Amino acid sequence: MWKISLQILLTLSTLSFTIAQLENQTTKPFFTPQNTLFGDSIEGTSVDELGNIFATNFLNETFAIGQIFPEQKTFFLSNNDSSSFNGIRFLKLTKDEKITIKSIFLAADKKRSEVTKVTLFQNNNIEQTTFCKDDSFIEPNDLAISYNSGRIYISGQNFTNTTQKGDGGLWLCEPDGQAKQLLSLGRTNGIELSPDEKVLYLSEAFNRDFIPISNKIWKFSVDVNNGQISNQELFIDFAQLDSSQFADIDGMRCDVEGNLWVTRNGDGKVLKFSADKKLLLELNTEQIIKTANLEFGGKNGSTLFIVGKCKDDNSKGCVDVFENSKPGRAFSVLTRT
Ligand SMILES: *[C@@H]1O[C@H](CO)[C@@H](O)[C@H](O)[C@H]1NC(C)=O
Ligand SMILES: *[C@@H]1O[C@H](CO)[C@@H](O)[C@H](O)[C@H]1NC(C)=O
Ligand SMILES: *[C@@H]1O[C@H](CO)[C@@H](O)[C@H](O)[C@H]1NC(C)=O
Ligand SMILES: *[C@@H]1O[C@H](CO)[C@@H](O)[C@H](O)[C@H]1NC(C)=O
Ligand SMILES: *[C@@H]1O[C@H](CO)[C@@H](O)[C@H](O)[C@H]1NC(C)=O
Ligand SMILES: *[C@@H]1O[C@H](CO)[C@@H](O)[C@H](O)[C@H]1NC(C)=O
């Protein structure tokens, strides 16, 4: 009897210890105000098939993309210096394409209101073209890519005093660059597909007096044949979860297990949700005041790189890391042969 209750007690205490540890962890500094070359608008964390990590606002330029991992350096400069890059995504190349091409990435250009396609060739030539553009676009913000179909889903937002439906939305670009608006919404920002590409996650926020008063994540069913979405369902409403509706949702990424990792640009946190809407982990960033975006990369694809404005110097962009046990969705697809 006593043995049994002791065992239960031990099990219970181990369990609560595990949960407490899981729920609240701290990230580690990677680029600090002392060594970062990124500006305060650092955004668009992305990964290529080698696990290299990139972000925007290198050397304080909105038209410059820099490399974060394995070493800090210039990666790409737009041929138009009015470009203001935000979300970035690398495409998966076929074996044949790899003979002549090093990498292809798409970048949302907020100012020029398009999605730009950049091809880096093995012979060091660079080609920059418009991948898709439509009059209905509103400051394209972030991109989600269906690797199976080549379709791109786009969020966008006009940050106004009082958000109206139509200040943001959801757009779809077909692989041939044909663009169309799927939904008219409040401000949309974080966007991601589940590993099986059958679920689309999209954030939506509303302002009053320029202050967010609502922040939600929606989920939709995706028809993998024609890319259409349906069954809009509430995934998380931060007013209900923890009254943090004032903290904007920014970049979102899935890991291979289908958990959704969400940056909160407003409280410096990253949250991990299971596909069935459970909050599994709260990450407090060590040195970022406004967490803007995130992506898994590094050697094994399981290091989470989180970017945003530095806590100790708001004029610079910092990077924190967190070691996860599983790789990200993008890394796992890009490295799969
Ligand atoms: C996690 O830790 C931070 C910093 O110690 C604290 O502010 C926050 O309230 C904690 N959150 C939870 C859910 O325990
Ligand atoms: C970017 O601008 C900030 C503010 O002016 C400055 O402190 C920082 O050194 C600049 N970074 C680079 C790499 O030039
Ligand atoms: C740069 O982009 C802007 C906005 O799209 C356009 O008006 C301008 O002509 C472009 N400049 C060049 C040199 O292509
Ligand atoms: C953004 O909102 C402002 C204020 O309502 C409006 O003047 C502007 O045209 C909007 N921009 C876009 C791209 O919709
Ligand atoms: C936002 O709009 C409201 C209503 O038009 C106005 O009263 C308020 O002053 C505006 N807020 C700011 C910060 O401009
Ligand atoms: C990557 O995987 C190897 C082999 O499993 C392991 O030894 C190493 O610690 C991992 N590195 C990171 C950064 O997780």
Side-chain angles (χ1 to χ4, degrees), residues 216-230:
K216 291 178 183 170
I217 302 173
W218 298 104
K219 61 180 274 195
F220 301 87
S221 307
V222 178
D223 184 329
V224 296
N225 295 313
N226 60 19
Q228 294 303 304
I229 51 132
S230 59

Side-chain angles (χ1 to χ4, degrees), residues 161-162 209-210:
N161 174 325
T162 308
D209 277 325
F210 291 107

Side-chain angles (χ1 to χ4, degrees), residues 106 131 145-152 173-176:
L106 303 177
F131 175 71
I145 173 166
S146 160
Y147 298 100
N148 291 331
S149 69
R151 293 190 184 98
I152 310 296
C173 288
E174 294 292 340
D176 65 2

Side-chain angles (χ1 to χ4, degrees), residues 119-138:
T119 307
L120 305 174
F121 291 92
Q122 297 288 7
N123 66 7
N124 292 327
N125 282 352
I126 298 174
E127 188 181 274
Q128 179 177 356
T129 57
T130 299
F131 175 71
C132 64
K133 189 176 174 75
D134 192 72
D135 288 344
S136 66
F137 279 8
I138 300 172

Side-chain angles (χ1 to χ4, degrees), residues 140-179:
N141 192 288
D142 213 341
L143 314 169
I145 173 166
S146 160
Y147 298 100
N148 291 331
S149 69
R151 293 190 184 98
I152 310 296
Y153 294 88
I154 308 168
S155 63
Q157 58 172 340
N158 189 4
F159 198 96
T160 57
N161 174 325
T162 308
T163 308
Q164 310 285 337
K165 189 171 175 235
D167 284 343
L170 172 65
W171 292 264
L172 170 66
C173 288
E174 294 292 340
D176 65 2
Q178 268 193 67

Side-chain angles (χ1 to χ4, degrees), residues 11-51:
T11 314
L12 278 177
S13 59
T14 324
L15 204 69
S16 59
F17 179 68
T18 317
I19 289 169
Q21 266 217 325
L22 256 182
E23 277 182 342
N24 202 347
Q25 292 192 35
T26 306
T27 56
K28 290 199 173 64
F30 192 73
F31 289 164
T32 65
Q34 284 70 45
N35 64 14
T36 185
L37 296 175
F38 285 86
D40 63 350
S41 302
I42 187 170
E43 250 288 1
T45 330
S46 60
V47 66
D48 71 7
E49 63 163 28
L50 299 173

